[in-house]
Structure formats: structure tokens, C-alpha cells
Amino acid sequence: MTRGNQRDKAREKTLKEAAKKKSVNTLSGTAFQRKKEDDALKMREKQAKADAKKATEAAGGGKKK
């Protein structure tokens, strides 16, 4: 049953390569920091929008279901 063994070996090799690719950070220090700040800004904007929507619904501006 060499064919089954080949399949298992190939699967193990592929899993190892996939694990290596996930753990590699391709961003430099400044680029990583900039990305973190951009992501944080987007999340703050999203949260502010959600808070504004909740406030309008609480004030009676929302639609009733």
C-alpha cells in the first residue's frame, strides 16, 4: 500500500508548509504599526456609527418590527 503512504506523506508536507506561511509576518515594524492604527480607526468609526444608530432608535426614530 505504497500509494496510501504517499498520500499521507504529501498531506503532512502540505500541512507543514501551510503552518509556516501562517506564522510569517510580512510587514515591517512601521507598516505593521500603521496597519494597526488604520484598523483601530475603522473600528472606532464603526462603533460610533452603531452607537448613533442605537441612540436614534432609543429616541423613537427607529422602525418598529
Side-chain angles (χ1 to χ4, degrees):
M1 235 172 120
T2 58
R3 187 155 181 95
N5 189 26
Q6 287 175 340
R7 196 174 298 130
D8 291 340
K9 295 279 187 182
R11 189 174 294 130
E12 288 173 10
K13 181 181 176 188
T14 305
L15 288 173
K16 268 187 192 176
E17 289 176 2
K20 283 182 184 177
K21 288 182 182 179
K22 287 181 184 177
S23 65
V24 175
N25 183 7
T26 58
L27 297 175
S28 67
T30 55
F32 182 71
Q33 183 66 29
R34 189 176 21 214
K35 183 183 181 316
K36 262 179 49 175
E37 290 171 0
D38 289 345
D39 291 346
L41 179 64
K42 288 177 188 175
M43 291 305 293
R44 281 192 293 271
E45 289 173 354
K46 186 176 178 180
Q47 188 63 46
K49 189 175 179 182
D51 289 342
K53 183 178 177 184
K54 282 183 184 178
T56 57
E57 287 178 358
K63 295 180 181 177
K64 292 185 180 179
K65 291 182 181 179

